[in-house]
Amino acid sequence: MDWQQIMLLVSLGLGVGFLGTLIGAGGGFVLVPVLLLLYPDMSPEAITSISLGVVFLNATSGSIAYARMKRIDVKAAVSFGLATLPGAIAGAFLISFIPRNIFDMILGILLIIISLFLLINPHFRTEPLVHKKNWTQRSLVDSKGERYDYAFNQRTGIILSFFVGFVSSLLGIGGGIIHVPALTMLLNFPVHIATATSHSILAVMALAGTMVHIYQGNLNHNWAMMLSIGYGVVLGAQLGAYVSHRIQQKVIIISLAVALLLVGVRIAFSK
């Protein structure tokens, strides 16, 4: 690759890292559609291997920033992260059996569904759920002294994390765009805790998927591309975490949803 292409990929990574960390989604749901449009002849396994490697760097960088803010539910991150591993490994192995046109259709439809969900519910949350006796209780205080009290069903979270790990690894989208709404709407996590915790879970899931792709050789000819995007992602993730409480999430999410809708239609129905 020449320097012009490297700088383009670094800039792409900067935007992906910023957006992904800002809403706790890892950035893969933005990166995969862009790679599909930029490289129409690249195989699904090559694209997902690049994306998962980048998601791992993004999630790790963002997790470090969120850990400084003390917004990560560490116990939930460990249990849910471990639950993603079987699904992430299975998804990474299965992607090599999916033709590019089928992959495009599946991803395009998923992006359309995600975009419609974001437009309907841009805050990633509903009314608080009633706490039940058998739910896991949590009380966290972040670095700014803000207290978060909530409760969730541990079993539901583990089952959900397995399926998120499978889908996100199969499509290379990271999973945070599914996990954050699920944590807030189904498991009653406060949005700031969900965003931070999701990043830690993503780091575990993406590492497992990336290791499978390395074993299969899917990154053999794409290391330079992945590392160029990854360099920008690490910088963008720190910036996204820093400004996460300074920007109105609703405006960003709605704009992102419209872009995802257009890209999803373009990818799913372009052939």
Side-chain angles (χ1 to χ4, degrees):
M1 294 190 300
D2 56 28
W3 281 105
Q4 186 176 4
Q5 187 176 4
I6 290 175
M7 292 307 298
L8 176 63
L9 292 173
V10 171
S11 299
L12 172 62
L14 188 67
V16 167
F18 177 78
L19 284 172
T21 303
L22 197 63
I23 63 174
F29 73 105
V30 177
L31 180 57
V32 172
V34 172
L35 291 178
L36 286 173
L37 296 175
L38 291 178
Y39 302 96
D41 297 325
M42 187 175 287
S43 67
E45 57 267 30
I47 288 176
T48 55
S49 66
I50 294 170
S51 179
L52 283 178
V54 169
V55 166
F56 167 70
L57 295 174
N58 182 15
T60 301
S61 178
S63 294
I64 293 171
Y66 282 125
R68 296 195 193 105
M69 300 177 187
K70 297 183 179 180
R71 288 182 174 177
I72 298 174
D73 186 331
V74 177
K75 292 182 179 179
V78 171
S79 60
F80 294 168
L82 291 175
T84 67
L85 292 180
I89 293 171
F93 271 112
L94 287 177
I95 185 59
S96 59
F97 299 100
I98 300 179
R100 171 63 189 262
N101 60 328
I102 301 298
F103 179 84
D104 287 2
M105 179 65 71
I106 294 173
L107 180 63
I109 292 174
L110 181 61
L111 290 177
I112 293 171
I113 293 172
I114 291 172
S115 67
L116 293 176
F117 169 80
L118 294 179
L119 288 171
I120 294 170
N121 193 357
H123 289 295
F124 275 177
R125 66 187 307 166
T126 58
E127 294 299 318
L129 299 175
V130 177
H131 293 184
K132 297 182 179 180
K133 291 183 179 180
N134 61 340
W135 284 13
T136 302
Q137 307 290 322
R138 285 286 193 271
S139 181
L140 298 179
V141 179
D142 67 14
S143 61
K144 295 185 179 296
E146 186 170 353
R147 186 181 185 89
Y148 302 91
D149 295 300
Y150 56 102
F152 60 92
N153 188 308
Q154 181 86 2
R155 182 181 298 178
T156 300
I158 289 173
I159 295 173
L160 176 70
S161 295
F162 170 81
F163 286 105
V164 168
F166 175 75
V167 173
S168 58
S169 182
L170 181 71
L171 301 177
I173 60 174
I177 196 66
I178 304 172
H179 224 167
V180 173
L183 287 174
T184 56
M185 297 182 66
L186 300 180
L187 297 181
N188 205 31
F189 274 61
V191 66
H192 289 303
I193 302 301
T195 302
T197 303
S198 171
H199 251 66
S200 299
I201 297 170
L202 282 178
V204 175
M205 183 281 300
L207 176 61
T210 300
M211 294 301 293
V212 173
H213 283 297
I214 292 174
Y215 171 77
Q216 292 180 318
N218 295 332
L219 270 172
N220 286 351
H221 304 292
N222 300 302
W223 280 102
M225 182 181 295
M226 190 271 284
L227 292 175
S228 296
I229 300 172
Y231 179 77
V233 155
V234 170
L235 299 178
Q238 295 296 314
L239 180 61
Y242 178 75
V243 304
S244 61
H245 61 287
R246 292 177 168 85
I247 299 179
Q248 287 188 351
Q249 265 191 310
K250 182 178 179 179
V251 175
I252 296 171
I253 291 173
I254 290 177
S255 301
L256 193 58
V258 173
L260 287 178
L261 179 61
L262 296 175
V263 171
V265 172
R266 170 71 173 80
I267 292 174
F269 304 108
S270 61
K271 296 180 182 180

PDB file of all heavy atoms in Angstrom, residues 5-32:
ATOM      1  N   GLN A   5      -3.007   5.644   0.503  1.00  0.00           N
ATOM      2  CA  GLN A   5      -3.982   4.643   0.922  1.00  0.00           C
ATOM      3  C   GLN A   5      -3.908   4.405   2.432  1.00  0.00           C
ATOM      4  O   GLN A   5      -4.942   4.238   3.097  1.00  0.00           O
ATOM      5  CB  GLN A   5      -3.751   3.334   0.185  1.00  0.00           C
ATOM      6  CG  GLN A   5      -4.830   2.280   0.440  1.00  0.00           C
ATOM      7  CD  GLN A   5      -4.628   1.026  -0.388  1.00  0.00           C
ATOM      8  OE1 GLN A   5      -3.633   0.894  -1.105  1.00  0.00           O
ATOM      9  NE2 GLN A   5      -5.552   0.092  -0.285  1.00  0.00           N
ATOM     10  N   ILE A   6      -2.691   4.406   2.970  1.00  0.00           N
ATOM     11  CA  ILE A   6      -2.531   4.211   4.409  1.00  0.00           C
ATOM     12  C   ILE A   6      -3.211   5.338   5.183  1.00  0.00           C
ATOM     13  O   ILE A   6      -3.930   5.097   6.162  1.00  0.00           O
ATOM     14  CB  ILE A   6      -1.033   4.138   4.783  1.00  0.00           C
ATOM     15  CG1 ILE A   6      -0.425   2.828   4.255  1.00  0.00           C
ATOM     16  CG2 ILE A   6      -0.857   4.225   6.308  1.00  0.00           C
ATOM     17  CD1 ILE A   6       1.065   2.718   4.467  1.00  0.00           C
ATOM     18  N   MET A   7      -3.026   6.585   4.739  1.00  0.00           N
ATOM     19  CA  MET A   7      -3.642   7.721   5.423  1.00  0.00           C
ATOM     20  C   MET A   7      -5.161   7.675   5.317  1.00  0.00           C
ATOM     21  O   MET A   7      -5.877   8.049   6.248  1.00  0.00           O
ATOM     22  CB  MET A   7      -3.109   9.034   4.846  1.00  0.00           C
ATOM     23  CG  MET A   7      -1.635   9.292   5.149  1.00  0.00           C
ATOM     24  SD  MET A   7      -1.268   9.178   6.927  1.00  0.00           S
ATOM     25  CE  MET A   7      -2.289  10.510   7.580  1.00  0.00           C
ATOM     26  N   LEU A   8      -5.669   7.193   4.179  1.00  0.00           N
ATOM     27  CA  LEU A   8      -7.107   7.039   4.011  1.00  0.00           C
ATOM     28  C   LEU A   8      -7.658   6.022   5.001  1.00  0.00           C
ATOM     29  O   LEU A   8      -8.698   6.249   5.644  1.00  0.00           O
ATOM     30  CB  LEU A   8      -7.430   6.612   2.574  1.00  0.00           C
ATOM     31  CG  LEU A   8      -8.912   6.324   2.270  1.00  0.00           C
ATOM     32  CD1 LEU A   8      -9.741   7.586   2.455  1.00  0.00           C
ATOM     33  CD2 LEU A   8      -9.074   5.777   0.849  1.00  0.00           C
ATOM     34  N   LEU A   9      -6.953   4.908   5.163  1.00  0.00           N
ATOM     35  CA  LEU A   9      -7.392   3.863   6.083  1.00  0.00           C
ATOM     36  C   LEU A   9      -7.287   4.322   7.540  1.00  0.00           C
ATOM     37  O   LEU A   9      -8.154   4.001   8.364  1.00  0.00           O
ATOM     38  CB  LEU A   9      -6.567   2.593   5.870  1.00  0.00           C
ATOM     39  CG  LEU A   9      -6.782   1.875   4.527  1.00  0.00           C
ATOM     40  CD1 LEU A   9      -5.795   0.730   4.368  1.00  0.00           C
ATOM     41  CD2 LEU A   9      -8.213   1.362   4.408  1.00  0.00           C
ATOM     42  N   VAL A  10      -6.235   5.080   7.858  1.00  0.00           N
ATOM     43  CA  VAL A  10      -6.101   5.616   9.213  1.00  0.00           C
ATOM     44  C   VAL A  10      -7.248   6.579   9.521  1.00  0.00           C
ATOM     45  O   VAL A  10      -7.836   6.552  10.609  1.00  0.00           O
ATOM     46  CB  VAL A  10      -4.742   6.330   9.392  1.00  0.00           C
ATOM     47  CG1 VAL A  10      -4.702   7.085  10.722  1.00  0.00           C
ATOM     48  CG2 VAL A  10      -3.601   5.323   9.341  1.00  0.00           C
ATOM     49  N   SER A  11      -7.595   7.417   8.536  1.00  0.00           N
ATOM     50  CA  SER A  11      -8.715   8.356   8.713  1.00  0.00           C
ATOM     51  C   SER A  11     -10.030   7.609   8.888  1.00  0.00           C
ATOM     52  O   SER A  11     -10.874   7.991   9.712  1.00  0.00           O
ATOM     53  CB  SER A  11      -8.809   9.302   7.507  1.00  0.00           C
ATOM     54  OG  SER A  11      -7.635  10.064   7.360  1.00  0.00           O
ATOM     55  N   LEU A  12     -10.202   6.526   8.114  1.00  0.00           N
ATOM     56  CA  LEU A  12     -11.392   5.687   8.264  1.00  0.00           C
ATOM     57  C   LEU A  12     -11.453   5.112   9.676  1.00  0.00           C
ATOM     58  O   LEU A  12     -12.499   5.125  10.327  1.00  0.00           O
ATOM     59  CB  LEU A  12     -11.366   4.557   7.228  1.00  0.00           C
ATOM     60  CG  LEU A  12     -12.437   3.471   7.368  1.00  0.00           C
ATOM     61  CD1 LEU A  12     -13.832   4.062   7.221  1.00  0.00           C
ATOM     62  CD2 LEU A  12     -12.208   2.364   6.316  1.00  0.00           C
ATOM     63  N   GLY A  13     -10.317   4.617  10.155  1.00  0.00           N
ATOM     64  CA  GLY A  13     -10.253   4.068  11.501  1.00  0.00           C
ATOM     65  C   GLY A  13     -10.552   5.103  12.570  1.00  0.00           C
ATOM     66  O   GLY A  13     -11.204   4.799  13.573  1.00  0.00           O
ATOM     67  N   LEU A  14     -10.105   6.323  12.363  1.00  0.00           N
ATOM     68  CA  LEU A  14     -10.364   7.393  13.322  1.00  0.00           C
ATOM     69  C   LEU A  14     -11.865   7.621  13.475  1.00  0.00           C
ATOM     70  O   LEU A  14     -12.380   7.737  14.591  1.00  0.00           O
ATOM     71  CB  LEU A  14      -9.680   8.680  12.856  1.00  0.00           C
ATOM     72  CG  LEU A  14      -9.694   9.862  13.832  1.00  0.00           C
ATOM     73  CD1 LEU A  14      -8.858   9.544  15.063  1.00  0.00           C
ATOM     74  CD2 LEU A  14      -9.148  11.115  13.140  1.00  0.00           C
ATOM     75  N   GLY A  15     -12.569   7.671  12.344  1.00  0.00           N
ATOM     76  CA  GLY A  15     -14.021   7.862  12.386  1.00  0.00           C
ATOM     77  C   GLY A  15     -14.737   6.676  12.988  1.00  0.00           C
ATOM     78  O   GLY A  15     -15.671   6.840  13.795  1.00  0.00           O
ATOM     79  N   VAL A  16     -14.304   5.473  12.639  1.00  0.00           N
ATOM     80  CA  VAL A  16     -14.914   4.255  13.163  1.00  0.00           C
ATOM     81  C   VAL A  16     -14.725   4.169  14.677  1.00  0.00           C
ATOM     82  O   VAL A  16     -15.656   3.858  15.423  1.00  0.00           O
ATOM     83  CB  VAL A  16     -14.318   3.016  12.469  1.00  0.00           C
ATOM     84  CG1 VAL A  16     -14.693   1.737  13.225  1.00  0.00           C
ATOM     85  CG2 VAL A  16     -14.795   2.928  11.029  1.00  0.00           C
ATOM     86  N   GLY A  17     -13.493   4.451  15.138  1.00  0.00           N
ATOM     87  CA  GLY A  17     -13.211   4.394  16.569  1.00  0.00           C
ATOM     88  C   GLY A  17     -13.997   5.414  17.357  1.00  0.00           C
ATOM     89  O   GLY A  17     -14.513   5.134  18.442  1.00  0.00           O
ATOM     90  N   PHE A  18     -14.118   6.612  16.800  1.00  0.00           N
ATOM     91  CA  PHE A  18     -14.857   7.685  17.472  1.00  0.00           C
ATOM     92  C   PHE A  18     -16.331   7.320  17.613  1.00  0.00           C
ATOM     93  O   PHE A  18     -16.895   7.356  18.706  1.00  0.00           O
ATOM     94  CB  PHE A  18     -14.709   8.983  16.684  1.00  0.00           C
ATOM     95  CG  PHE A  18     -15.492  10.140  17.253  1.00  0.00           C
ATOM     96  CD1 PHE A  18     -15.032  10.832  18.353  1.00  0.00           C
ATOM     97  CD2 PHE A  18     -16.697  10.513  16.687  1.00  0.00           C
ATOM     98  CE1 PHE A  18     -15.752  11.888  18.886  1.00  0.00           C
ATOM     99  CE2 PHE A  18     -17.430  11.562  17.206  1.00  0.00           C
ATOM    100  CZ  PHE A  18     -16.953  12.250  18.309  1.00  0.00           C
ATOM    101  N   LEU A  19     -16.957   6.945  16.509  1.00  0.00           N
ATOM    102  CA  LEU A  19     -18.385   6.610  16.537  1.00  0.00           C
ATOM    103  C   LEU A  19     -18.652   5.356  17.362  1.00  0.00           C
ATOM    104  O   LEU A  19     -19.606   5.297  18.143  1.00  0.00           O
ATOM    105  CB  LEU A  19     -18.910   6.417  15.119  1.00  0.00           C
ATOM    106  CG  LEU A  19     -19.154   7.679  14.289  1.00  0.00           C
ATOM    107  CD1 LEU A  19     -19.489   7.311  12.859  1.00  0.00           C
ATOM    108  CD2 LEU A  19     -20.268   8.511  14.900  1.00  0.00           C
ATOM    109  N   GLY A  20     -17.819   4.342  17.181  1.00  0.00           N
ATOM    110  CA  GLY A  20     -18.030   3.084  17.887  1.00  0.00           C
ATOM    111  C   GLY A  20     -17.956   3.244  19.391  1.00  0.00           C
ATOM    112  O   GLY A  20     -18.781   2.709  20.129  1.00  0.00           O
ATOM    113  N   THR A  21     -16.969   3.988  19.863  1.00  0.00           N
ATOM    114  CA  THR A  21     -16.807   4.179  21.300  1.00  0.00           C
ATOM    115  C   THR A  21     -17.872   5.111  21.855  1.00  0.00           C
ATOM    116  O   THR A  21     -18.337   4.947  22.986  1.00  0.00           O
ATOM    117  CB  THR A  21     -15.411   4.741  21.612  1.00  0.00           C
ATOM    118  OG1 THR A  21     -14.430   3.851  21.090  1.00  0.00           O
ATOM    119  CG2 THR A  21     -15.193   4.878  23.117  1.00  0.00           C
ATOM    120  N   LEU A  22     -18.278   6.093  21.067  1.00  0.00           N
ATOM    121  CA  LEU A  22     -19.272   7.069  21.515  1.00  0.00           C
ATOM    122  C   LEU A  22     -20.574   6.395  21.931  1.00  0.00           C
ATOM    123  O   LEU A  22     -21.217   6.803  22.896  1.00  0.00           O
ATOM    124  CB  LEU A  22     -19.540   8.080  20.401  1.00  0.00           C
ATOM    125  CG  LEU A  22     -20.237   9.382  20.789  1.00  0.00           C
ATOM    126  CD1 LEU A  22     -19.380  10.179  21.760  1.00  0.00           C
ATOM    127  CD2 LEU A  22     -20.540  10.204  19.556  1.00  0.00           C
ATOM    128  N   ILE A  23     -20.970   5.338  21.206  1.00  0.00           N
ATOM    129  CA  ILE A  23     -22.220   4.650  21.548  1.00  0.00           C
ATOM    130  C   ILE A  23     -21.985   3.211  22.019  1.00  0.00           C
ATOM    131  O   ILE A  23     -22.913   2.439  22.154  1.00  0.00           O
ATOM    132  CB  ILE A  23     -23.204   4.656  20.361  1.00  0.00           C
ATOM    133  CG1 ILE A  23     -22.639   3.891  19.167  1.00  0.00           C
ATOM    134  CG2 ILE A  23     -23.563   6.066  19.958  1.00  0.00           C
ATOM    135  CD1 ILE A  23     -23.631   3.746  18.024  1.00  0.00           C
ATOM    136  N   GLY A  24     -20.694   2.865  22.271  1.00  0.00           N
ATOM    137  CA  GLY A  24     -20.391   1.547  22.828  1.00  0.00           C
ATOM    138  C   GLY A  24     -20.603   0.401  21.880  1.00  0.00           C
ATOM    139  O   GLY A  24     -20.874  -0.715  22.308  1.00  0.00           O
ATOM    140  N   ALA A  25     -20.478   0.644  20.582  1.00  0.00           N
ATOM    141  CA  ALA A  25     -20.835  -0.384  19.602  1.00  0.00           C
ATOM    142  C   ALA A  25     -19.640  -1.012  18.902  1.00  0.00           C
ATOM    143  O   ALA A  25     -19.814  -1.843  18.025  1.00  0.00           O
ATOM    144  CB  ALA A  25     -21.775   0.215  18.553  1.00  0.00           C
ATOM    145  N   GLY A  26     -18.424  -0.620  19.249  1.00  0.00           N
ATOM    146  CA  GLY A  26     -17.254  -1.270  18.678  1.00  0.00           C
ATOM    147  C   GLY A  26     -16.837  -0.787  17.310  1.00  0.00           C
ATOM    148  O   GLY A  26     -15.692  -0.896  16.923  1.00  0.00           O
ATOM    149  N   GLY A  27     -17.750  -0.260  16.509  1.00  0.00           N
ATOM    150  CA  GLY A  27     -17.406   0.305  15.213  1.00  0.00           C
ATOM    151  C   GLY A  27     -17.490  -0.643  14.034  1.00  0.00           C
ATOM    152  O   GLY A  27     -17.482  -0.208  12.887  1.00  0.00           O
ATOM    153  N   GLY A  28     -17.591  -1.954  14.299  1.00  0.00           N
ATOM    154  CA  GLY A  28     -17.627  -2.916  13.202  1.00  0.00           C
ATOM    155  C   GLY A  28     -18.842  -2.762  12.316  1.00  0.00           C
ATOM    156  O   GLY A  28     -18.781  -3.030  11.114  1.00  0.00           O
ATOM    157  N   PHE A  29     -19.961  -2.314  12.899  1.00  0.00           N
ATOM    158  CA  PHE A  29     -21.180  -2.154  12.107  1.00  0.00           C
ATOM    159  C   PHE A  29     -21.052  -1.001  11.112  1.00  0.00           C
ATOM    160  O   PHE A  29     -21.819  -0.909  10.163  1.00  0.00           O
ATOM    161  CB  PHE A  29     -22.383  -1.917  13.028  1.00  0.00           C
ATOM    162  CG  PHE A  29     -22.431  -0.561  13.659  1.00  0.00           C
ATOM    163  CD1 PHE A  29     -23.318   0.392  13.210  1.00  0.00           C
ATOM    164  CD2 PHE A  29     -21.575  -0.248  14.694  1.00  0.00           C
ATOM    165  CE1 PHE A  29     -23.364   1.638  13.790  1.00  0.00           C
ATOM    166  CE2 PHE A  29     -21.622   0.995  15.289  1.00  0.00           C
ATOM    167  CZ  PHE A  29     -22.512   1.944  14.833  1.00  0.00           C
ATOM    168  N   VAL A  30     -20.075  -0.116  11.322  1.00  0.00           N
ATOM    169  CA  VAL A  30     -19.769   0.943  10.356  1.00  0.00           C
ATOM    170  C   VAL A  30     -18.691   0.477   9.379  1.00  0.00           C
ATOM    171  O   VAL A  30     -18.784   0.693   8.174  1.00  0.00           O
ATOM    172  CB  VAL A  30     -19.295   2.227  11.069  1.00  0.00           C
ATOM    173  CG1 VAL A  30     -18.911   3.297  10.049  1.00  0.00           C
ATOM    174  CG2 VAL A  30     -20.378   2.758  12.001  1.00  0.00           C
ATOM    175  N   LEU A  31     -17.671  -0.181   9.916  1.00  0.00           N
ATOM    176  CA  LEU A  31     -16.515  -0.567   9.109  1.00  0.00           C
ATOM    177  C   LEU A  31     -16.852  -1.609   8.050  1.00  0.00           C
ATOM    178  O   LEU A  31     -16.413  -1.488   6.897  1.00  0.00           O
ATOM    179  CB  LEU A  31     -15.412  -1.105  10.024  1.00  0.00           C
ATOM    180  CG  LEU A  31     -14.126  -1.551   9.328  1.00  0.00           C
ATOM    181  CD1 LEU A  31     -13.518  -0.418   8.517  1.00  0.00           C
ATOM    182  CD2 LEU A  31     -13.126  -2.078  10.350  1.00  0.00           C
ATOM    183  N   VAL A  32     -17.620  -2.643   8.404  1.00  0.00           N
ATOM    184  CA  VAL A  32     -17.919  -3.721   7.445  1.00  0.00           C
ATOM    185  C   VAL A  32     -18.640  -3.201   6.198  1.00  0.00           C
ATOM    186  O   VAL A  32     -18.233  -3.513   5.073  1.00  0.00           O
ATOM    187  CB  VAL A  32     -18.721  -4.857   8.113  1.00  0.00           C
ATOM    188  CG1 VAL A  32     -19.189  -5.873   7.070  1.00  0.00           C
ATOM    189  CG2 VAL A  32     -17.861  -5.559   9.152  1.00  0.00           C
TER     190      VAL A  32
END
